[in-house]
Amino acid sequence: MSEGILSVLLDTRRARRKGLAAIAQRQRDRLSEMVAFARANSPYYHGLYEHIPQRVQDPAMLPVVSKQTLMLHFDEWVTDREVTIETVRAFVNSPDLVGERFLGKYSVATTSGTTGAPGIFLLDQRNWAVTLAFSLRMMMGWLNVADILGILASGGRMALVQATGGHFIGATGIAAIRKRRLARSIRAFPVQMPLPDMIAELNQFRPVLLAGYASVMVLLAEEQEAGRLQIQPVLVLPTSEGLSEDGYDRIARAFHANVRTAYVATECLFMAIGCERGWHHVNSDWVVLEPVDADYRPIRPGEESHTVLVSNLANRIQPILRYELGDRILLRPDPCLCGNPLPAIRVRGRSADVLTFSTEPGERVSIPPLAFEVDHIPGVGLSQVVQSTPTSLLVRLRPAAGADPERVWQAVHGELARLLAEHGLGHVSIERAAEPPQPSFGGKYRTVIPLT
């Protein structure tokens, strides 16, 4: 079956009307179809699934795969024999080809490898149809009639703050759009652009939709509060990095706008939609998310996972089946108060971002990254905690405009010292860095960087 955007939207609507049982059946059927397709067309999966039953409707029957393993077997992983790692690498090494179709058929996106393993991902037309249908449904669920009329009246101007200079998924999507009719209404702002220049150009462009890295949205909220940025977006979409509830509330207050999020990754661009209660609802008819422990065993709802396994049920060119994504999530044990019956999750961070120390007696202690977030402290504009040695932390700070840097530092130091003391880690030193928070190659600001 060839799915277009309209057919995906209509099928999703039918499934939602029939209830969770119909959605679960679609998930099982699509999983079975994807496993069969992967086994028949990917030499890697053909060998991996040699002893797996022919019909698979339970993902737990499948082995877990990782980005590192799939990249090592790239030529055997892909289902199109024209595709090779050499030709794809040559394609991504050309910045002039960002947004173009590889072999005239596939979009190409790279990941920056902040967790140690860069990836190259191909996205086929079916994957894009599901992604765009998901995006349309998401926007319609977030906006009321007045919001939609306001967006249409403004020409739908959308500003996206994204990493440029590579085949990152945001840059790839924007470059493709700019080659088509929507070029005037959608504009990309490089995350590397000096902040004063970005403010000036945003003021001139006057977007009604604003999206980009969450850390940059915090900086823009600060500029809006100071009066240097003067825009009136209807909707703000912080992406890629998680913020505390204080961080999202701050953005909403600064712009007097709806702030919503989606849980996506390059490997699967349609995993879950954020709701007004702060949860993300899984797009269960097209994706399987499995919260698991360190041994890949399922955990109970209400418990935080060690990692999450994702199965993308749309992208056939590079099957993603029980793929370890590395995020720690919490599956809500009861129905969400927003009324959406789909499974609700909260993303707690990446398992790779957990900081690990030893107490003085030698006991191993692990602390999740959210514990180190200090953006709720008055005067903190942006922060980054780096574990520089096994017994020391380096804190990079960008104080908010008008804040006393020394007072902010003392407040941050005090909170981190209390956190460490509560875990028996009073011997761990906390130092202030001379440099501000540093972005990764892909433009993201990681709030916590473990020892490497």
Side-chain angles (χ1 to χ4, degrees), residues 41-43 74-84 317:
N41 295 279
S42 163
F74 188 94
D75 288 358
E76 295 78 37
W77 170 27
V78 294
T79 59
D80 184 337
R81 302 274 58 85
E82 288 187 82
V83 177
T84 66
I317 176 59

Side-chain angles (χ1 to χ4, degrees), residues 117-238:
I120 301 177
F121 296 93
L122 277 64
L123 299 91
D124 57 27
Q125 190 59 40
R126 186 173 187 246
N127 190 84
W128 276 120
V130 174
T131 299
L132 293 174
F134 163 82
S135 300
L136 286 172
R137 185 174 182 85
M138 180 172 66
M139 296 290 285
M140 296 303 291
W142 286 342
L143 301 172
N144 58 36
V145 174
D147 293 333
I148 295 171
L149 291 176
I151 291 171
L152 293 175
S154 72
R157 292 187 304 276
M158 182 175 188
L160 294 169
V161 182
Q162 297 285 354
T164 57
H167 290 255
F168 306 115
I169 188 63
T172 294
I174 290 300
I177 288 170
R178 290 189 64 81
K179 293 177 171 66
R180 294 168 174 81
R181 296 179 182 178
L182 294 176
R184 292 183 180 179
S185 61
I186 300 181
R187 182 176 169 188
F189 292 78
V191 70
Q192 303 91 340
M193 178 184 288
L195 191 58
D197 296 345
M198 186 183 297
I199 293 166
E201 295 192 24
L202 282 169
N203 282 335
Q204 184 177 19
F205 185 57
R206 295 178 294 110
V208 289
L209 300 171
L210 177 64
Y213 294 134
S215 52
V216 180
M217 295 300 102
V218 170
L219 295 179
L220 293 180
E222 178 185 322
E223 295 299 315
Q224 183 85 0
E225 290 170 337
R228 290 181 289 271
L229 181 62
Q230 299 176 359
I231 59 176
Q232 296 178 313
V234 171
L235 181 66
V236 181
L237 304 170

